[in-house]
């Protein structure tokens, strides 16, 4: 997959895109990332990419002309890529949205700045709006990094094991179960015996129970958004009785 990032600050991506999973994806030639400085498409000698908003008000607005020229130039080389804009107006970025984007041929991600982007860019070019959440960032660069990271790890072959992505939090709508590794005891806290038993069915059931328990404690809203099977409902009933008995 090819990620094209359209930004006023390409230098922000140097560290995050050269480390960890994204680096692995690039090394395996499973992804390619191209950074495009929007100012390179400005036509004046100062490479102006923003201007005061019509109607007055604080701040500046990203101009339509250089951004349009940048999008059209990139789109000419990647006609099948989807143009995405990072915006507070966009749909909330979730694991399901990341999985959907991972099935696209490529992503052209526009990073907003200042008070926003001239609305005509959205009307003419944008195919998808993405928001990380209900808060304000200084620009869309951090959001673009999050999108690239979340999508990359879902591409086949990027992770050491595809099962790693399948068991992440939110993959099935729930938070992930607690994880442990050596040593078996640390400062009086022992690893649950079931994880040392070698009984794969007991381990599977324990993990599902703890995933449901953690979700019920920390994100109960998620339980109303997924289809629970018969085993899930039985486990939840047991968890509710256990928590009630201990006053949790």
């Amino acid at each position: 997959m090819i990620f094209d990032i359209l930004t006023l600050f390409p230098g922000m991506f140097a560290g995050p895109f050269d480390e960890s999973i994204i680096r692995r994806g690039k090394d395996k030639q499973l992804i390619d990332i191209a950074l495009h400085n929007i100012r390179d498409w400005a036509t004046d000698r100062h490479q102006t990419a923003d201007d005061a908003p019509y109607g007055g008000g604080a701040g500046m607005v990203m101009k339509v002309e250089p951004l349009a020229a940048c999008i059209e130039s990139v789109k000419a080389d990647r006609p099948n890529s989807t143009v995405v804009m990072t915006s507070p107006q966009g749909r909330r970025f979730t694991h399901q949205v990341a999985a959907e984007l991972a099935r696209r041929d490529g992503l052209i991600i526009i990073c907003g700045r200042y008070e926003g982007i001239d609305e005509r860019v959205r009307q003419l070019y944008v195919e998808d709006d993405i928001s990380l959440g209900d808060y304000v960032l200084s620009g869309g660069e951090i959001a673009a990094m999050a999108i690239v990271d979340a999508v990359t790890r879902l591409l086949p072959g990027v992770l050491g094991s595809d099962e790693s992505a399948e068991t992440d939090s939110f993959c099935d709508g729930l938070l992930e179960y607690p994880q442990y590794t050596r040593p078996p005891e640390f400062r009086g806290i022992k690893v649950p015996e079931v994880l040392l038993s070698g009984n794969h069915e007991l381990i599977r059931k324990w993990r599902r129970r703890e995933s449901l328990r953690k979700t019920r404690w920390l994100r109960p809203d998620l339980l109303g958004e997924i289809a629970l099977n018969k085993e899930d409902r039985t486990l939840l009933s047991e968890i509710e009785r256990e928590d009630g008995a201990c006053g949790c």
Side-chain angles (χ1 to χ4, degrees):
M1 172 177 277
I2 299 177
F3 298 95
D4 288 284
I5 313 294
L6 282 51
T7 173
L8 295 174
F9 300 97
M12 291 183 64
F13 296 89
F17 283 176
D18 291 330
E19 301 290 344
S20 190
I21 301 301
I22 294 178
R23 173 66 179 269
R24 185 185 302 173
K26 291 196 298 184
D27 288 346
K28 292 182 176 181
Q29 298 184 330
L30 296 172
I31 67 168
D32 189 17
I33 300 173
L35 300 174
H36 307 273
N37 190 335
I38 298 166
R39 295 187 190 279
D40 291 341
W41 278 265
T43 56
D44 67 309
R45 64 189 181 118
H46 298 295
Q47 294 187 304
T48 305
D50 59 282
D51 207 340
Y54 278 126
M60 304 292 278
V61 175
M62 290 177 65
K63 289 169 60 67
V64 63
E65 300 102 314
L67 192 44
C70 182
I71 295 169
E72 289 173 0
S73 175
V74 174
K75 190 74 169 174
D77 292 332
R78 325 256 203 254
N80 296 323
S81 289
T82 301
V83 179
V84 175
M85 184 158 72
T86 59
S87 164
Q89 304 174 39
R91 55 178 176 152
R92 183 165 56 98
F93 190 54
T94 65
H95 179 82
Q96 287 68 36
V97 172
E100 175 190 325
L101 296 178
R103 295 191 290 271
R104 306 285 176 88
D105 291 324
L107 298 178
I108 300 172
I109 306 176
I110 305 171
C111 302
R113 272 278 160 176
Y114 312 127
E115 293 303 309
I117 296 174
D118 190 300
E119 184 65 20
R120 290 167 289 189
V121 172
R122 176 181 280 106
Q123 293 173 334
L124 292 170
Y125 302 105
V126 174
E127 300 169 80
D128 204 345
D129 266 328
I130 299 293
S131 170
L132 290 193
D134 298 334
Y135 51 90
V136 178
L137 295 169
S138 298
E141 285 77 14
I142 292 175
M145 294 175 198
I147 292 169
V148 171
D149 187 277
V151 170
T152 295
R153 61 183 294 106
L154 295 177
L155 298 175
V158 171
L159 298 181
S161 166
D162 290 338
E163 185 181 355
S164 297
E166 294 170 2
T167 58
D168 282 343
S169 289
F170 304 113
C171 284
D172 58 359
L174 301 176
L175 300 182
E176 191 178 11
Y177 48 80
Q179 296 275 18
Y180 299 88
T181 187
R182 294 182 179 86
E185 182 176 349
F186 180 72
R187 295 183 180 175
I189 302 175
K190 296 182 178 180
V191 173
E193 287 293 333
V194 64
L195 299 180
L196 308 176
S197 68
N199 188 317
H200 297 297
E201 175 58 21
L202 286 180
I203 292 171
R204 181 201 66 79
K205 191 170 183 179
W206 180 88
R207 285 176 168 169
R208 188 64 178 178
R209 178 197 299 270
E210 296 309 308
S211 182
L212 287 163
R213 188 193 305 276
K214 183 176 286 191
T215 304
R216 179 174 177 269
W217 283 351
L218 302 177
R219 290 291 305 277
D221 56 298
L222 295 176
L223 293 176
E225 299 176 5
I226 63 172
L228 299 174
N229 58 32
K230 183 178 180 180
E231 180 186 60
D232 291 336
R233 291 192 292 272
T234 299
L235 291 172
L236 269 176
S237 296
E238 294 174 359
I239 291 167
E240 289 168 1
R241 287 196 298 271
E242 292 169 4
D243 291 351
C246 71
C248 299

